[in-house]
Amino acid sequence: MPKRVLQGVVVSDKQDKTVVVKVERRFTHPVMKKTVRRSKNYHAHDENNVAKVGQLVFIEESRPYSKLKTWKLVEGGAAEAATVEA
């Protein structure tokens, strides 16, 4: 079964080897038929501390790293590209 990959924005990088990523989803409300935006924060494993606040990143499902961390930063994604530019 393939692992889910989500796209989001880093909202916190204060923890060591961990980033908090806000993922936003859009859906049509079943009654109002209006587009609704919902967001959720995910704690993701960032082995090299490369992601910075405000950066667009991809996270992937993985094994549990801790109580809250079951996602990891995708290698070669936007996080890697930003470190090459800097």
Side-chain angles (χ1 to χ4, degrees):
M1 191 161 128
K3 295 179 179 168
R4 287 186 294 168
V5 176
L6 300 175
Q7 179 182 7
V9 178
V10 177
V11 292
S12 174
D13 63 351
K14 293 181 186 294
Q15 302 170 72
D16 188 34
K17 297 188 179 183
T18 303
V19 290
V20 180
V21 180
K22 181 183 287 288
V23 176
E24 190 175 273
R25 65 187 183 95
R26 291 172 176 232
F27 62 96
T28 305
H29 191 279
V31 176
M32 301 297 182
K33 307 299 184 208
K34 186 175 181 180
T35 303
V36 183
R37 295 182 348 186
R38 290 281 181 258
S39 62
K40 184 173 178 183
N41 287 343
Y42 293 94
H43 291 250
H45 185 67
D46 181 8
E47 184 64 39
N48 301 320
N49 291 319
V50 293
K52 301 298 176 205
V53 174
Q55 196 171 12
L56 191 67
V57 294
F58 290 94
I59 57 174
E60 172 183 72
E61 267 185 320
S62 67
R63 66 179 177 82
Y65 288 97
S66 67
K67 178 182 173 182
L68 295 174
K69 285 188 349 186
T70 56
W71 295 81
K72 67 178 179 182
L73 236 56
V74 175
E75 296 297 324
E80 293 293 324
T83 55
V84 172
E85 292 171 9

